[in-house]
């Protein structure tokens, strides 16, 4: 009986030993950014090594944006959070782990790249889905993740709402009717954007996936242009996925310097180039021009103009008992 | 013979139908998925398979899974032995309650099991702030994953031992005590040898579940690649990253661990039988 205990001690020593050999940064991010941050992490670690001589190990964790924020609030020690929408970082700020002014500490609302919501359909677009109105045609099944847990899903929902409101001359009740109709066409709600993409692409459920533009492009890249195609609706929403240093963690771990440099790197030409290559719309003018052909021009509404900002949108639509809870009744016809 | 005991031998049509049902069921729900798993894992050749496994994040997941099992299983052996010994050999108040509590992890959804620990040890939970101020990380780290695993695998050893110990009664222990053995001697020389096959069987079941647990561990893991992802979690991540070959390769490793466990179990049963026969 004594041997196994010795072994355990040895194993934990090895684990603890390897843990302290280098500085670690943990980036807690939302679902579709896996491939983006694999590349960013490598590029930044190389640059940091060259500039300072210090070896950085950058770790990543992915999931639905709301769920990831919840984990950080519950104690997941993220040095930086790179989430799908500002409200989720606000939620972390509310418990005091991130300073309230986080959105002003970095340029452009602390969003180093943007994206939007597009449709992914099967090749040849068999159900002829051209715009938001086509989503509620009889027999169309719409795939979108759960707005309660997924940031992308909240952008999907708000983009649909914004289109319906504008189309009906600003009538909120008509917009609500339309969004209610859309969710009657949703057979399943995954918790994160990637789960929804897998449901649509690999399990073959549904006729149209409401997706992040970057997620849709990635699906084309993975499965080939002969399986799926992207449909750009007449109007969509400007999604600004924000980033922030988690103050309580970096102060404790003494990693503020590295964490801040990491986020600043996202704005550098090199970081912007990597973002564009992974189908996130770059902010940098030069890089944006270079990749202009990739990203179609869309009429984009902003969350601030159409919904008076995230705090209001969240409280009205996604809080407990909010509009989404009122209109989404699973199984109801 | 046949005329004397007709009820023991079923007519041929019944045998064939039942046999076909069993073979069909096993084939459809066990053999076929297992075959698909390995076929997918080796779909791009042995090279791709090895490359998928020989990758830092995969190794980290394997190491973590083995570490967790190496801690959780011995803990539950000690607990299971103690609990089943108390329940089977002694009468005391609250025995029924203890028996029910042991079964609790079977009846609670694993997701809830994980959430319990987040609510207890999370920063917004009861003990979280105190733990943070003493620099102790429980959830989203190894201790949390071990705790969740211990909780979920709690009943396996005890459940295996209680019926065996109860069936054996207390006469042998009483004899040992009368002959002057101490409590510890009685346990080690009489009780333990009597239940050793059952104990090993419980350990195997416990181990299989400890390595395969997904739900509870998923809630407390934090999903940090290369650090807090166990093998089942790593499989999910790879699958979600469109990396099917790698997902099935790691899954096949898990399946191999399970098959090895089954083989060990079969060997144990065989040895157990020959020992009783001799």
């Amino acid at each position: 009986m004594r041997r196994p205990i010795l072994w355990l001690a040895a194993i934990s020593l090895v684990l603890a030993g390897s843990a302290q050999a280098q500085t670690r940064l943990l980036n807690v991010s939302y679902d579709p950014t896996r491939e983006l941050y694999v590349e960013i992490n490598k590029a930044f670690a190389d640059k940091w090594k060259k500039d300072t001589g210090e070896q950085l190990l950058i770790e990543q964790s992915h999931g639905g944006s709301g769920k990831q924020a919840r984990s950080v609030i519950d104690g997941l020690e993220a040095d930086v959070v790179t989430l799908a929408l500002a409200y989720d970082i606000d939620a972390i700020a509310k418990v005091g782990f991130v300073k309230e002014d986080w959105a002003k500490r970095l340029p452009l609302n602390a969003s180093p790249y943007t994206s939007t919501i597009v449709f992914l359909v099967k090749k040849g677009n068999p159900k002829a889905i051209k715009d938001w109105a086509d989503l509620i045609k009889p027999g169309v099944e719409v795939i979108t993740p759960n707005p309660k847990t997924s940031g992308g899903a909240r952008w999907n929902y708000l983009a649909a709402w914004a289109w319906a409101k504008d189309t009906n001359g600003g009538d909120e009740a008509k917009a609500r009717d339309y969004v209610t109709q859309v969710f009657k066409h949703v057979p399943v709600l995954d918790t994160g954007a990637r789960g929804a993409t897998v449901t649509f692409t690999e399990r073959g459920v549904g006729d149209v996936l409401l997706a992040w533009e970057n997620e849709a492009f990635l699906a084309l890249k993975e499965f080939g242009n002969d399986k799926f195609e992207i449909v750009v609706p007449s109007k969509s929403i400007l999604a600004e996925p924000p980033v922030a240093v988690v103050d309580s963690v970096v102060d404790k771990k003494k990693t503020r310097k590295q964490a801040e440099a990491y986020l600043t790197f996202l704005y550098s030409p090199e970081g912007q180039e990597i973002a564009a290559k992974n189908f996130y719309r770059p902010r940098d003018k030069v890089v944006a021009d270079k990749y202009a052909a990739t990203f179609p021009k869309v009429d984009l509404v902003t969350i601030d103009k159409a919904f008076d900002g995230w705090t209001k949108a969240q409280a009205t639509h996604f809080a407990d008992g909010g509009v989404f809870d009122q209109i989404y009744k699973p199984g109801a016809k | 013979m046949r005329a004397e005991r007709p009820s023991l031998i079923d007519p041929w049509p019944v045998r064939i139908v039942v046999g076909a049902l069993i073979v069909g069921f096993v084939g459809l729900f066990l053999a076929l998925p297992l075959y698909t798993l390995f076929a997918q894992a080796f779909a791009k050749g042995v090279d791709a398979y090895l490359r998928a496994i020989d990758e830092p994040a995969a190794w980290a997941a394997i190491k973590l899974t083995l570490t967790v099992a190496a801690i959780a299983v011995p803990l539950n052996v000690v607990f299971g032995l103690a609990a089943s010994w108390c329940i089977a050999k002694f009468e005391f108040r609250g025995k029924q309650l203890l028996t029910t509590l042991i079964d609790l992890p079977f009846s609670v959804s694993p997701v809830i099991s994980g959430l319990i620990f987040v609510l207890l040890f999370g920063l917004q939970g009861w003990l979280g702030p105190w733990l943070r101020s003493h620099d102790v990380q429980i959830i989203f780290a190894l201790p949390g994953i071990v705790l969740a695993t211990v909780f979920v695998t709690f009943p396996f050893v005890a459940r295996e031992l209680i019926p065996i110990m109860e069936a054996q009664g207390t006469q042998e222990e009483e004899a040992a005590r009368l002959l002057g053995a101490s409590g510890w001697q009685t346990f080690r020389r009489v009780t333990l040898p009597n239940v050793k096959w059952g104990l090993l069987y419980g350990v195997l079941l416990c181990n299989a579940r400890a390595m395969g647990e997904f739900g509870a561990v998923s809630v407390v893991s934090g999903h940090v690649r290369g650090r807090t992802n166990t093998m089942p979690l790593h499989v999910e991540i790879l699958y979600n990253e469109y990396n099917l070959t790698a997902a099935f390769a790691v899954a096949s490793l898990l399946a191999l661990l399970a098959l090895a466990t089954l083989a060990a179990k079969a060997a144990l049963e065989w040895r157990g039988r020959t020992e009783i026969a001799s």
Side-chain angles (χ1 to χ4, degrees):
Chain A
M1 272 281 118
R2 213 166 268 167
R3 282 252 172 83
I5 292 168
L6 277 180
W7 267 108
L8 275 185
I11 289 172
S12 46
L13 269 182
V14 169
L15 288 177
S18 62
Q20 258 135 40
Q22 55 204 148
T23 306
R24 297 211 251 188
L25 285 185
L26 173 58
N27 176 0
V28 170
S29 192
Y30 61 110
D31 226 0
T33 54
R34 304 151 191 263
E35 294 79 10
L36 167 68
Y37 281 110
V38 167
E39 252 183 88
I40 291 274
N41 292 351
K42 189 174 176 308
F44 178 71
D46 288 349
K47 183 177 177 301
W48 190 256
K49 179 96 201 270
K50 213 162 60 199
D51 293 353
T52 68
E54 184 185 27
Q55 184 78 44
L56 272 186
L57 175 64
I58 307 167
E59 300 176 309
Q60 45 190 126
S61 164
H62 298 274
S65 185
K67 178 175 148 257
Q68 293 292 79
R70 186 69 239 176
S71 290
V72 172
I73 291 169
D74 280 329
L76 181 59
E77 296 209 313
D79 298 86
V80 300
V81 284
T82 54
L83 295 178
L85 44 89
Y87 181 81
D88 288 331
I89 300 187
D90 280 338
I92 303 173
K94 221 178 256 167
V95 292
F97 298 171
V98 175
K99 294 215 176 75
E100 293 283 348
D101 67 344
W102 64 268
K104 301 205 173 63
R105 292 194 294 197
L106 285 163
L108 302 159
N109 299 328
S111 306
Y113 40 79
T114 68
S115 191
T116 184
I117 300 301
V118 297
F119 304 162
L120 190 68
V121 296
K122 292 183 184 118
K123 186 71 194 174
N125 199 355
K127 298 260 165 124
I129 294 157
K130 300 266 165 50
D131 204 354
W132 293 100
D134 301 322
L135 297 185
I136 56 172
K137 284 197 305 200
V140 172
E141 281 195 333
V142 181
I143 302 296
T144 171
N146 188 344
K148 291 280 188 174
T149 51
S150 156
R154 274 174 267 175
W155 290 114
N156 291 346
Y157 173 107
L158 293 176
W161 191 286
W163 171 84
K165 193 177 149 190
D166 278 6
T167 310
N168 291 299
D171 188 338
E172 292 273 359
K174 290 233 170 83
R176 182 184 164 124
D177 274 354
Y178 168 75
V179 175
T180 309
Q181 287 295 318
V182 169
F183 276 94
K184 282 192 180 147
H185 288 253
V186 178
V188 53
L189 291 175
D190 286 286
T191 54
R194 185 55 60 84
T197 312
V198 169
T199 295
F200 182 72
T201 54
E202 281 181 28
R203 294 176 45 212
V205 178
D207 302 301
V208 51
L209 171 75
L210 308 187
W212 289 101
E213 183 178 51
N214 50 279
E215 190 73 356
F217 272 119
L218 182 70
L220 285 194
K221 193 172 131 193
E222 288 292 332
F223 294 95
N225 290 323
D226 53 337
K227 289 246 175 62
F228 301 101
E229 62 184 68
I230 292 175
V231 172
V232 181
S234 64
K235 185 185 282 282
S236 195
I237 195 155
L238 175 71
E240 296 185 307
V243 300
V245 165
V246 182
D247 297 281
S248 68
V249 174
V250 295
D251 288 345
K252 189 180 139 216
K253 283 175 64 186
K254 314 238 175 314
T255 48
R256 178 175 289 280
K257 196 176 58 179
Q258 293 88 336
E260 280 175 351
Y262 178 70
L263 293 188
T264 313
F265 177 75
L266 295 172
Y267 290 87
S268 72
E270 196 186 348
Q272 291 283 298
E273 181 94 29
I274 294 173
K277 259 196 291 176
N278 284 280
F279 313 113
Y280 294 81
R281 296 186 174 214
R283 296 281 205 177
D284 186 276
K285 189 86 185 60
V286 179
V287 181
D289 285 346
K290 187 173 156 195
Y291 285 87
T294 310
F295 302 107
K297 282 216 173 350
V298 197
D299 179 13
L300 296 177
V301 300
T302 67
I303 182 99
D304 289 333
K305 277 222 184 88
F307 298 94
D308 293 335
W310 261 114
T311 310
K312 182 118 184 293
Q314 179 78 24
T316 314
H317 293 280
F318 309 118
D320 270 342
V323 177
F324 177 70
D325 278 343
Q326 294 163 30
I327 66 174
Y328 182 66
K329 306 251 175 355
K333 279 278 159 193
Chain B
M1 288 289 276
R2 192 169 281 192
E4 284 163 33
R5 291 188 295 178
S7 63
L8 286 185
I9 296 161
D10 291 315
W12 277 106
V14 176
R15 286 202 207 179
I16 291 170
V17 169
V18 172
L21 266 178
I22 293 171
V23 170
F25 191 83
V26 169
L28 198 61
F29 289 100
L30 292 173
L32 198 62
L34 213 56
Y35 167 77
T36 325
L37 177 65
F38 283 96
Q40 279 275 10
F42 286 102
K44 288 184 184 158
V46 180
D47 268 7
Y49 181 88
L50 292 177
R51 243 182 294 125
I53 291 169
D54 190 16
E55 185 248 342
W59 275 117
I62 294 168
K63 212 160 88 176
L64 180 64
T65 298
L66 295 179
T67 312
V68 169
I71 302 173
V73 174
L75 279 179
N76 273 338
V77 166
V78 172
F79 167 78
L81 267 174
S84 53
W85 194 55
C86 289
I87 288 172
K89 308 281 178 181
F90 299 95
E91 289 301 325
F92 55 93
R93 285 177 80 186
K95 186 165 149 175
Q96 201 55 48
L97 183 70
L98 182 61
T99 319
T100 315
L101 279 180
I102 289 174
D103 277 342
L104 191 69
F106 273 159
S107 49
V108 173
S109 153
V111 177
I112 308 296
S113 318
L115 271 179
I116 295 168
F117 292 106
V118 174
L119 293 178
L120 258 181
F121 299 113
L123 264 188
Q124 312 304 317
W126 286 5
L127 301 171
W130 184 85
L131 288 169
R132 167 66 62 99
S133 66
H134 290 76
D135 217 8
V136 181
Q137 182 86 14
I138 302 268
I139 54 165
F140 308 123
L142 180 67
I145 298 173
V146 170
L147 274 175
T149 308
V150 168
F151 183 84
V152 173
T153 56
F154 210 46
F156 284 92
V157 175
R159 269 285 137 216
E160 201 60 43
L161 291 184
I162 290 170
I164 301 178
M165 286 195 183
E166 273 177 346
Q168 281 167 352
T170 55
Q171 279 127 332
E172 287 186 34
E173 277 87 355
E174 280 162 12
R177 291 306 294 266
L178 284 175
L179 289 169
S182 70
W184 172 242
Q185 278 174 322
T186 311
F187 176 74
R188 234 190 49 171
R189 299 275 180 81
V190 179
T191 313
L192 199 55
N194 273 340
V195 298
K196 71 179 169 196
W197 298 119
L199 177 63
L200 279 169
Y201 189 47
V203 166
L204 287 178
L205 283 180
C206 182
N207 184 55
R209 180 67 191 269
M211 293 195 293
E213 175 57 25
F214 179 86
V217 168
S218 170
V219 176
V220 297
S221 134
H223 303 275
V224 182
R225 181 177 259 235
R227 188 143 57 94
T228 65
N229 273 325
T230 59
M231 284 169 79
L233 299 182
H234 193 59
V235 171
E236 191 208 20
I237 287 190
L238 291 170
Y239 181 74
N240 276 347
E241 283 170 7
Y242 307 116
N243 198 345
L244 286 189
T245 309
F248 281 102
V250 178
S252 74
L253 275 189
L254 259 181
L256 277 180
L257 285 174
L259 289 177
T261 307
L262 278 181
K265 183 194 140 219
L268 279 179
E269 276 170 352
W270 182 74
R271 271 191 62 187
R273 255 203 307 273
T274 49
E275 188 161 292
I276 289 162
S278 64

